[in-house]
Amino acid sequence: MNLFKRIKFSQCTYVIGTTRREQRSFFSTYICQHSISGRSDNEFSAKSAFQANGCATESGNTRNQAVIMATDNLTAVLHGIEDLRLEQRPVPEIADDEVLLAMDSVGICGSDVHYLAHGRIGDFVLTKPMIIGHEAAGVVAKLGKNVTTLQVGDRVAIEPGVPCRYCDHCKQGRYNLCADMVFCATPPYDGNLTRYYKHAADFCFKLPDHVSMEEGALLEPLSVGVHACRRAGVGLGSKVLILGAGPIGLVTLLAAQAMGASEILITDLVQQRLDVAKELGATHTLLLQRDQSAEETVKVVHQTMSEAPDKSIDCCGAESSARLAIFATRSGGVVVVVGMGAPEIKLPLINALAREIDIRGVFRYCNDYSAALALVASGKVNVKRLVTHHYDITETAEAFETSRRGTGGAIKVMIHVQPRDANNKVKF
């Protein structure tokens, strides 16, 4: 059953004022209609609306006190296993250090699909309705009174995890390990597949004009790849083995190339993904056989590469791929485990210990968004090829089906909360 049939349409009024006291003295009124089959031609764009009404200016109170009064905040909410619904939610009120964002692009992550299918990932269990989505970019619609680094109309990428800033991990610069991390679409916290979303201003990264909103959303998975390569110590001349050519494996490939790896072999069970990896610059690709043991595959890896890899990055999370990573890595090398699979698996620890293989975990990212943005903005990394499908927010159910089934060679499925290219200087 189509979970979204109950939503026929919504009619909304967007109103922009200069201060809270002047909310009833409206500069302009923008009326739009949204239907399950599509959106009106006069779609609302936060940036263009602000500019058209003089609210995105540098002087006076309009820079930081533009107000949106919207009755339409269409939102994708996960209520339970296989129960994803579109529904209206109140436009959030922001704190002094936050910004209100008119969301633009939200990518579907494997974790989003996992929550939909299973209702949990490890110890993170869905116990109440949760807004889905965390790979995102949007346009600043309103500023908290203490925000000075952004302006209304700025296009930003959103780093979805906000730590406490006070614990030892935060103070030591490893805030991804903060026990009080508030992370989008990780129970019990809401995500950002919604028309309006609030976020800490210092975890929003302003996009240069030539970087698209879709690329801004893709900074999230790219940051995982950057963090994985940093944890592995990838540098000039590194020989890198990447297990898995899904979205995370592919962004890890891109990051490893940019960080100086001289030879990269990437594996997968699906030839189409390996074809994309080759297109993106992988030195070698290897199609794995399900009935082949890790020990047998190691021989093929060593025969294919010029020498055994000194860095192996497991982007699958399967027991077989973690075992392969350890067996294949040269003595004294590093194995990094990015993919999350079963909570407990069997690993050849004696082999790793006897050869001093370092095994390191990766959990999200930390201080990597700026680097990811720099790689994209400079042209050293091109993530555009990863986006294979585009959907409007009203088509969220179909978008998730495409992502989970891999329909049409899906790699990264992008959901557009505003019309495509509404906030891009150059068409994506």
Side-chain angles (χ1 to χ4, degrees):
M1 182 183 73
N2 188 336
L3 296 174
F4 303 144
K5 282 184 178 178
R6 71 191 69 185
I7 301 176
K8 299 296 185 182
F9 66 88
S10 63
Q11 188 171 17
C12 57
T13 304
Y14 296 86
V15 183
I16 302 171
T18 55
T19 68
R20 289 180 179 271
R21 294 179 182 177
E22 295 171 325
Q23 287 178 6
R24 298 194 179 189
S25 300
F26 304 130
F27 279 123
S28 67
T29 301
Y30 187 97
I31 308 294
C32 69
Q33 290 185 336
H34 307 286
S35 69
I36 197 65
S37 60
R39 303 171 72 171
S40 69
D41 293 334
N42 296 320
E43 187 60 46
F44 174 72
S45 167
K47 186 171 184 179
S48 60
F50 282 128
Q51 291 175 337
N53 292 282
C55 293
T57 64
E58 295 293 332
S59 60
N61 292 332
T62 55
R63 187 193 71 83
N64 62 359
Q65 296 194 36
V67 175
I68 291 181
M69 296 188 60
T71 58
D72 174 31
N73 190 30
L74 193 62
T75 303
V77 182
L78 182 63
H79 283 256
I81 295 175
E82 305 297 347
D83 187 6
L84 180 61
R85 312 176 196 175
L86 281 180
E87 59 191 43
Q88 289 293 338
R89 286 290 183 95
V91 175
E93 292 289 331
I94 61 173
D96 292 344
D97 58 352
E98 293 179 328
V99 291
L100 181 67
L101 300 170
M103 298 304 297
D104 183 284
S105 298
V106 182
I108 297 179
C109 175
S111 65
D112 297 321
V113 174
H114 201 276
Y115 278 121
L116 174 63
H118 303 285
R120 68 181 299 161
I121 296 179
D123 294 332
F124 299 104
V125 183
L126 186 70
T127 59
K128 63 178 183 178
M130 177 185 75
I131 300 172
I132 204 73
H134 64 272
E135 300 180 0
V139 180
V140 177
K142 182 181 177 183
L143 306 177
K145 69 178 184 180
N146 293 338
V147 178
T148 60
T149 56
L150 296 171
Q151 297 179 7
V152 168
D154 282 348
R155 305 175 318 123
V156 299
I158 303 163
E159 181 172 350
V162 180
C164 76
R165 300 180 175 87
Y166 299 109
C167 68
D168 286 343
H169 289 307
C170 287
K171 290 180 179 179
Q172 292 168 6
R174 302 187 70 183
Y175 61 82
N176 59 320
L177 304 180
C178 175
D180 295 320
M181 172 73 76
V182 176
F183 199 93
C184 288
T186 299
Y189 305 110
D190 283 328
N192 48 33
L193 183 47
T194 178
R195 295 211 191 280
Y196 291 99
Y197 167 74
K198 69 174 183 176
H199 201 67
D202 57 327
F203 280 81
C204 295
F205 293 78
K206 185 176 179 180
L207 300 176
D209 287 346
H210 66 282
V211 175
S212 69
M213 302 300 288
E214 292 87 347
E215 289 170 295
L218 288 172
L219 293 187
E220 199 280 337
L222 180 58
S223 292
V224 176
V226 170
H227 192 60
C229 288
R230 283 176 162 174
R231 290 281 287 158
V234 174
L236 295 175
S238 292
K239 313 287 186 182
V240 182
L241 169 64
I242 299 174
L243 291 306
I248 295 301
L250 293 176
V251 293
T252 301
L253 163 65
L254 293 172
Q257 288 176 317
M259 295 170 72
S262 61
E263 187 177 8
I264 303 172
L265 185 151
I266 187 166
T267 70
D268 204 275
L269 293 165
V270 180
Q271 184 60 49
Q272 181 268 338
R273 289 182 171 184
L274 294 177
D275 293 340
V276 175
K278 193 67 176 179
E279 182 182 335
L280 293 175
T283 315
H284 315 283
T285 62
L286 176 60
L287 182 65
L288 299 178
Q289 306 301 318
R290 292 184 183 276
D291 58 349
Q292 192 172 39
S293 69
E295 292 85 348
E296 292 172 325
T297 307
V298 166
K299 296 178 183 178
V300 181
V301 170
H302 289 170
Q303 290 169 359
T304 303
M305 300 185 73
S306 61
E307 58 183 283
D310 56 335
K311 321 289 184 186
S312 293
I313 303 175
D314 176 19
C315 298
C316 294
E319 180 178 303
S320 59
S321 60
R323 290 174 58 83
L324 174 58
I326 292 173
F327 283 130
T329 303
R330 66 177 293 179
S331 297
V334 177
V335 170
V336 167
V337 182
V338 183
M340 290 187 176
E344 295 185 9
I345 59 175
K346 295 172 65 175
L347 294 177
L349 282 181
I350 295 300
N351 180 284
L353 296 176
R355 299 192 300 115
E356 292 197 348
I357 302 294
D358 288 353
I359 302 175
R360 302 173 185 172
V362 163
F363 188 56
R364 297 168 177 158
Y365 31 74
C366 182
N367 298 308
D368 298 301
Y369 247 73
S370 294
L373 176 55
L375 289 174
V376 172
S378 66
K380 292 185 180 298
V381 165
N382 183 1
V383 293
K384 293 182 178 180
R385 175 63 181 85
L386 302 180
V387 181
T388 54
H389 294 74
H390 298 267
Y391 291 92
D392 185 80
I393 188 174
T394 58
E395 303 168 314
T396 295
E398 184 180 352
F400 268 80
E401 279 302 301
T402 297
S403 181
R404 72 192 299 183
R405 307 297 180 196
T407 307
I411 298 175
K412 182 58 62 177
V413 175
M414 193 67 63
I415 297 177
H416 298 273
V417 183
Q418 298 185 44
R420 286 183 62 180
D421 294 317
N423 297 297
N424 290 336
K425 298 292 185 180
V426 179
K427 287 188 177 181
F428 180 77

